[in-house]
Amino acid sequence: MKEEEKGLSTIVKVVTRWIVGFILLFGIYIVIFGHLTPGGGFPGGVIIAGVFVLLTLSFGREVPLRKLNSTLASELDSFGALVFLLVGILGLYLATYFAQNFITTFPQQYFRPFSAGVIPICNLAIGLKVGASIFMVFIILAVTRVISVGEGRMKMLRKRTGRRRRK
Amino acid sequence: MEILVLLILMIIGAFIATETRDLLSSVISVGAVGFLLCLAFLYLKAPDIAITQMVVEVLALIILIRATLHRDLTFVKGMRAKLGLGFSLFAVVVVTVLSIPFFQDLPKFGHPLLSEGRSVANFYLQEGLRKTGAANITTSVLLDFRMYDTLGEATILFTSILGALAILRRPSHKKVKEKDKEEALK
């Protein structure tokens, strides 16, 4: 199967190409400015995962997997979780108790991007983690499908990829 | 008043979602309930949660429609159990009647118990910026005062993703080897 035939129609593909960058930018903004405006790591990460979901829906699943394969996604997931944990443990060593904000913010720094100590770092870590893991869940759910076998019973199948079909 | 309208619409949407026979319209009414909940959060002046609700709702809808809704399974077959519906209605009525005295003891809507005097909520509102430096109080609570809870949430998410990947991964090495052996025998 040729690449042009996969996914949805040309209109959807062109609009997706225009819009994907802006959605990604919005997700990154939500993550980075999470301590100043509404948002934070979790919604921003989900928006970033939504970019890849949109690419999967309109171009087929090979295109986003070429940009972010599942190994890299699971590594990013673990990396985000570890950074978040590391910030907590660093609070124990550099300050007094676990998960303490060990970078002090001075009053002239209020309402600036570089403020709030460890909170932006935690937001970035959570954004990475949530984005990678939700993208992985979507890819996993998109390649498996449930079919009904007989009366009331169901079976889970993995959709065949193009590579296998050629064999 | 507006919140009541939103709640009634949400309850209607939930009823349609459980009672309709077409799975696609059921999924769509679940989405309608989610967006009404997002509107309710906006009305209650909680934009953080409204953004999260909107984004997660959209992704959940896409996953539900695309990944779990297949051609073979779009209609629910079989009769609906009327006895079960009667029993659940009876249970709902009994629980509502029994809980009316407790509803009268609850604080009024919009006046939480914790907001009076020297309470934790007031402390967060007054000292949040000075203690953490974050202009967004919600984030300062989530990632500074209550970071231990957020760590627990992240652990739950991580573990659930791990479980989903373990169940839905590619067929295990053992099965692949057996298949190869069978093909070799043929």
Side-chain angles (χ1 to χ4, degrees):
Chain A
M1 200 185 278
K2 277 182 196 169
E3 195 165 299
E4 290 87 38
E5 294 168 4
K6 281 185 182 173
L8 300 176
S9 66
T10 316
I11 302 170
V12 179
K13 282 181 181 171
V14 170
V15 173
T16 304
R17 247 183 235 128
W18 286 349
I19 226 171
V20 145
F22 293 105
I23 300 177
L24 188 64
L25 200 64
F26 182 63
I28 293 170
Y29 160 77
I30 289 260
V31 171
I32 289 179
F33 284 75
H35 57 298
L36 300 176
T37 54
F42 191 82
V46 178
I47 292 173
I48 291 172
V51 169
F52 290 100
V53 169
L54 184 63
L55 282 177
T56 312
L57 288 181
S58 51
F59 288 101
R61 73 177 155 284
E62 274 80 18
V63 175
L65 276 179
R66 218 180 291 144
K67 291 184 169 59
L68 177 68
N69 61 23
S70 50
T71 319
L72 183 64
S74 67
E75 278 168 4
L76 282 179
D77 187 5
S78 313
F79 178 73
L82 282 179
V83 166
F84 191 49
L85 196 62
L86 193 73
V87 166
I89 293 173
L90 275 182
L92 186 63
Y93 280 100
L94 297 179
T96 41
Y97 52 84
F98 182 74
Q100 191 179 1
N101 199 341
F102 54 84
I103 304 172
T104 44
T105 310
F106 300 106
Q108 61 264 25
Q109 283 178 308
Y110 289 165
F111 306 109
R112 298 268 170 85
F114 288 101
S115 66
V118 296
I119 291 179
I121 306 172
C122 293
N123 265 334
L124 278 176
I126 293 177
L128 261 185
K129 187 190 140 34
V130 170
S133 53
I134 289 185
F135 170 67
M136 267 201 301
V137 165
F138 182 76
I139 286 294
I140 287 285
L141 283 176
V143 296
T144 45
R145 70 180 185 191
V146 178
I147 57 164
S148 61
V149 186
E151 192 65 30
R153 284 193 302 161
M154 286 164 199
K155 194 180 174 188
M156 220 153 53
L157 275 190
R158 179 168 284 272
K159 279 181 198 163
R160 291 189 176 174
T161 55
R163 233 174 290 139
R164 277 190 203 162
R165 207 172 286 158
R166 237 174 276 145
K167 282 178 186 175
Chain B
M1 187 60 216
E2 290 90 343
I3 201 80
L4 248 167
V5 175
L6 287 176
L7 283 179
I8 290 169
L9 282 175
M10 276 163 66
I11 290 173
I12 293 173
F15 262 117
I16 295 174
T18 51
E19 289 303 316
T20 185
R21 275 168 185 253
D22 189 7
L23 269 186
L24 186 62
S25 38
S26 170
V27 167
I28 289 171
S29 22
V30 168
V33 172
F35 285 119
L36 285 169
L37 186 61
C38 174
L39 272 185
F41 282 144
L42 272 183
Y43 177 71
L44 294 173
K45 292 170 189 164
D48 283 271
I49 307 178
I51 290 177
T52 310
Q53 169 69 27
M54 172 79 99
V55 163
V56 173
E57 188 67 42
V58 168
L59 256 190
L61 266 187
I62 291 173
I63 288 178
L64 276 179
I65 290 178
R66 156 90 188 199
T68 66
L69 211 65
H70 193 250
R71 279 198 297 276
D72 306 339
L73 295 172
T74 43
F75 281 92
V76 179
K77 286 172 188 165
M79 291 290 289
R80 236 169 239 297
K82 284 190 178 153
L83 194 67
L85 187 68
F87 270 127
S88 40
L89 274 180
F90 177 71
V92 165
V93 168
V94 166
V95 168
T96 313
V97 167
L98 286 182
S99 57
I100 281 174
F102 300 104
F103 285 150
Q104 285 168 351
D105 285 345
L106 284 177
K108 278 177 86 179
F109 186 75
H111 296 277
L113 282 175
L114 286 174
S115 70
E116 288 160 7
R118 272 181 64 79
S119 63
V120 182
N122 273 340
F123 177 77
Y124 288 159
L125 284 178
Q126 286 158 8
E127 302 284 319
L129 180 62
R130 206 173 58 77
K131 289 263 182 194
T132 66
N136 188 358
I137 298 290
T138 315
T139 313
S140 74
V141 172
L142 270 181
L143 289 177
D144 195 297
F145 295 117
R146 293 268 178 266
M147 186 173 159
Y148 207 71
D149 290 355
T150 313
L151 185 65
E153 269 176 46
T155 315
I156 289 172
L157 188 65
F158 192 74
T159 318
S160 55
I161 302 289
L162 205 67
L165 286 184
I167 291 171
L168 297 171
R169 65 184 172 174
R170 295 179 189 288
S172 60
H173 289 295
K174 201 178 162 190
K175 273 187 183 172
V176 172
K177 274 182 188 167
E178 282 172 4
K179 206 178 267 178
D180 284 348
K181 268 184 194 171
E182 282 170 12
E183 281 177 2
L185 284 177
K186 280 172 192 171

